[in-house]
Amino acid sequence: MGCVRGSGLFSLVLVLGLVLINWVIFCNGSITSSFVRKLEKTIDMPLESDVFRVPPGYNAPQQVHITQGDVEGKAVIVSWVTPKTPGSNTVLYWEENSSKKLKAQGKSKTYKFYDYTSGYIHHCTIRNLEHDTKYYYVVGVGQTERKFWFFTPPETGPDVPYTFGLIGDLGQSFDSNITLTHYEKSPIKGQAVLFVGDLSYADQYPNHDNNRWDTWGRFVERSTAYQPWIWTAGNHELDFAPELGETRPFKPFMHRYRTPYRASGSPEPFWYSIKRGPAYIIVLASYSAYGKYTPQFKWLEKEFPKVNRTETPWLIVLMHAPWYNSFDYHYMEGETMRVMYEPWFVKNKVDVVFAGHVHAYERSERVSNIAYNIVNGICSPVKDQSAPVYITIGDGGNLEGLATKLTEPQPKYSAFRESSFGHAIFSIKNRTHAHYGWHRNQDGYAVEADTMWFNNRFWHPVDDSPSSDS
Ligand SMILES: *[C@@H]1O[C@H](CO)[C@@H](O)[C@H](O)[C@H]1NC(C)=O
Ligand SMILES: *[C@@H]1O[C@H](CO)[C@@H](O)[C@H](O)[C@H]1NC(C)=O
Ligand SMILES: *[C@@H]1O[C@H](CO)[C@@H](O)[C@H](O)[C@H]1NC(C)=O
Ligand SMILES: *[C@@H]1O[C@H](CO)[C@@H](O)[C@H](O)[C@H]1NC(C)=O
Ligand SMILES: [Fe+2]
C-alpha cells in the first residue's frame, strides 16, 4: 500500500476495499473485479483542446512519430506532417554528445479521402544506428525545425531487460488523455509501446472526418515522437466507405503510419515481426485474410521456425480482435482466427498474446482449445502450460465508451476482468522472468490493479498463474 501516493484517503479506502474483495473472490479462481467507476460519458476532446494545438512556426512539422524500421532494432522510421508545403524530407540526427551530424532522406506524399486532402506526410528511415544509444533528431530542416530524441534498444539477447507499454483502442477522448498521462507518469517507465489497434476513431465522425486523424497525431506526439509505438491495425483503421467512394481499406492508416513489414518478409504492412531486446514480437492482422493459403497464413507458418529462444526468449503476439474474451461486446469475433492459428501458438509456446477491440481489461489463464476435430466433440478450453496468457487491453478510453456487459458466469479461462480504462506494462527482467501489471486510470500512478510474474515458456515453463501462487 506504500505505493498509493498523493491520491488521497478516498482512493486508499477504495484500493483497500478492492484488495479485500479480490481476496474473497480469489478462493473461487476467476475474478470479476467489483471496482466501481464513476459512470460518465466518454467524450472526445474538442478541436480547440490544448493537446491538439498546432506547433508554432511556418509549416512546422506536426504529428511526429517513430516506429522500429527493421527487424533487429537498428533502424527507426521517422514520420511527420507539414501542413502547407512539402518542405524538407531530411532528418538530421546524431548520437548524444557527438558533434557528427548525420542526414537521411525520406519522401512525402498527400492523399485525399472524400472531401479531405491531407498535409504532406513524410516518412524517413534512418539506418545503421548503434544499439542502446540516445539519438537526437531534427525535422523541418530549413524551415521551422523541431528537435526530439529517442533511445535505440539494446542488442537482442536473452538477458537484456526491456520494458514495454501496452495501450489499445486509444481514441481522443478526455479519458484517452488520462490513459496516456498515466502511462507517461508511471514510475515503471515503458521504453516502447505495443499498440494493439484502433488509433484515432476518425471514422466515427461524419464522412470519416480525416481532420480527426490529424488531431490524434498531434495528441499522441508527446509520446510517439520519443519512443517507438509498434502498430497493430484495428477495425477503426479500415475506413472502408463505399458510400463516400472510398473503397480502399486502410487508406488513411497506410499513408500515415508505417511498419517495417518488408524486413520480415511480409507482403503487407498489417502483419510483420520485429525483435526488440529480449523479445520477438509478431503482429497479426485481424482484418486481412488469414485462412489457409492466404499470404498471412503462409507468412506466419514460416515465421515461427525463425524464432530462436536463445536469442529472444520472449515470444509476444499482438492482434486486434481477442481470441479469449468473456465480455458480451465482440464476443467470439476472434474465433475464426483462433481456429486457424491456436495450434501453432501452443506448439511454439508463445508467452503472451495482447489484443484490444473490447473496451475493457481481461487476463486469461494459460488455456488452449485445440483438441476439437468435428467428430470428437472435445470443444472446451483446458488449462495448458504450453499456451499463452491472453490479455485484452482495449481500454485506452475512446469515445465509444466502456464494454460493461459480461458473459455470466465468468468462464474458467478468464482469470481477471474489469471494465475500466487503463494501460499495462510488460517488464522483461531476464530470460526466465517478466513482471506484468495492469493499471486503472482511477488509481494513483504507481498502483497496479492486476499483476502477474510471467515465467518464460521456453526457459522456465512452470505454472505461473497468480491463482496458483503461495
Ligand atoms: C553526454 O554528456 C552528458 C553531460 O556531460 C553525460 O552526463 C552523459 O553521460 C554523456 N552521454 C554519453 C553517451 O556519453
Ligand atoms: C491532457 O493531459 C495533459 C497532461 O496531463 C494536460 O496537460 C492537458 O491539459 C490535458 N488536456 C485535456 C484536453 O484534457
Ligand atoms: C540461436 O541463437 C544463439 C545465440 O545467438 C546462437 O548461438 C545459435 O546458433 C542460434 N541457433 C540457431 C538454430 O540459429
Ligand atoms: C531473473 O529475474 C528474476 C526477477 O527479477 C529473479 O528473481 C531471478 O533471480 C533472475 N534470474 C537470473 C538468472 O538472474
Ligand atoms: Fe476495435
Side-chain angles (χ1 to χ4, degrees), residues 106-171:
K107 281 186 180 156
S108 73
K109 223 179 149 179
T110 63
Y111 76 92
K112 287 186 196 301
F113 191 97
Y114 188 56
D115 60 353
Y116 167 93
T117 305
S118 75
Y120 298 86
I121 303 169
H122 303 251
H123 302 285
C124 175
T125 305
I126 53 187
R127 295 182 189 280
N128 302 316
L129 301 169
E130 297 295 326
H131 278 296
D132 219 355
T133 300
K134 184 174 185 178
Y135 283 88
Y136 289 93
Y137 69 98
V138 166
V139 290
V141 175
Q143 274 180 343
T144 301
E145 298 192 345
R146 294 187 68 207
K147 181 171 138 186
F148 305 89
W149 50 259
F150 61 79
F151 286 93
T152 50
E155 197 169 347
T156 53
D159 294 307
V160 286
Y162 201 80
T163 299
F164 293 101
L166 286 141
I167 302 178
D169 304 70
L170 185 58

Side-chain angles (χ1 to χ4, degrees), residues 280-320:
Y280 198 103
I281 299 160
I282 296 178
V283 181
L284 293 182
S286 299
Y287 305 97
S288 303
Y290 45 75
K292 200 157 184 178
Y293 314 122
T294 61
Q296 185 169 198
F297 182 101
K298 287 188 177 173
W299 175 84
L300 185 59
E301 189 175 30
K302 284 203 235 140
E303 196 57 22
F304 282 114
K306 287 196 219 158
V307 183
N308 178 345
R309 301 296 269 271
T310 301
E311 190 197 5
T312 50
W314 293 91
L315 180 51
I316 299 172
V317 180
L318 311 182
M319 60 181 66
H320 187 63

Side-chain angles (χ1 to χ4, degrees), residues 429-430 432-433 453:
K429 307 295 180 193
N430 52 38
T432 54
H433 286 77
W453 272 103

Side-chain angles (χ1 to χ4, degrees), residues 261-458:
Y261 65 100
R262 283 196 196 92
S264 59
S266 163
E268 298 274 349
F270 316 114
W271 65 87
Y272 61 98
S273 63
I274 58 166
K275 297 181 210 171
R276 202 164 175 88
Y280 198 103
I281 299 160
I282 296 178
V283 181
L284 293 182
S286 299
Y287 305 97
S288 303
Y290 45 75
K292 200 157 184 178
Y293 314 122
T294 61
Q296 185 169 198
F297 182 101
K298 287 188 177 173
W299 175 84
L300 185 59
E301 189 175 30
K302 284 203 235 140
E303 196 57 22
F304 282 114
K306 287 196 219 158
V307 183
N308 178 345
R309 301 296 269 271
T310 301
E311 190 197 5
T312 50
W314 293 91
L315 180 51
I316 299 172
V317 180
L318 311 182
M319 60 181 66
H320 187 63
W323 294 354
Y324 287 95
N325 156 33
S326 76
F327 287 82
D328 257 8
Y329 195 60
H330 300 314
Y331 188 59
M332 285 186 71
E333 282 182 23
E335 190 63 6
T336 49
M337 188 193 257
R338 185 189 67 75
V339 169
M340 295 310 304
Y341 295 160
E342 191 181 18
W344 289 348
F345 281 38
V346 175
K347 179 167 172 255
N348 294 287
K349 299 190 186 326
V350 171
D351 289 293
V352 58
V353 176
F354 293 105
H357 202 37
V358 179
H359 302 159
Y361 170 69
E362 185 162 25
R363 174 175 54 79
S364 81
E365 301 289 351
R366 292 196 183 274
V367 287
S368 70
N369 191 6
I370 55 179
Y372 182 55
N373 69 1
I374 301 185
V375 291
N376 68 12
I378 305 172
C379 57
S380 299
V382 292
K383 287 231 177 177
D384 186 339
Q385 288 303 315
S386 293
V389 170
Y390 294 89
I391 290 173
T392 303
I393 187 83
D395 55 352
N398 67 75
L399 79 172
E400 292 179 345
L402 280 165
T404 50
K405 274 205 253 152
L406 304 155
T407 60
E408 298 288 4
Q410 184 167 12
K412 284 213 185 74
Y413 62 75
S414 171
F416 185 106
R417 56 185 189 173
E418 180 176 322
S419 359
S420 294
F421 293 134
H423 75 274
I425 303 261
F426 192 77
S427 192
I428 297 170
K429 307 295 180 193
N430 52 38
R431 76 183 68 188
T432 54
H433 286 77
H435 187 261
Y436 167 79
W438 173 68
H439 171 88
R440 82 165 74 75
N441 286 353
Q442 284 82 359
D443 288 340
Y445 297 129
V447 179
E448 292 175 313
D450 179 42
T451 61
M452 171 170 172
W453 272 103
F454 274 73
N455 291 342
N456 185 274
R457 288 302 94 185
F458 183 85

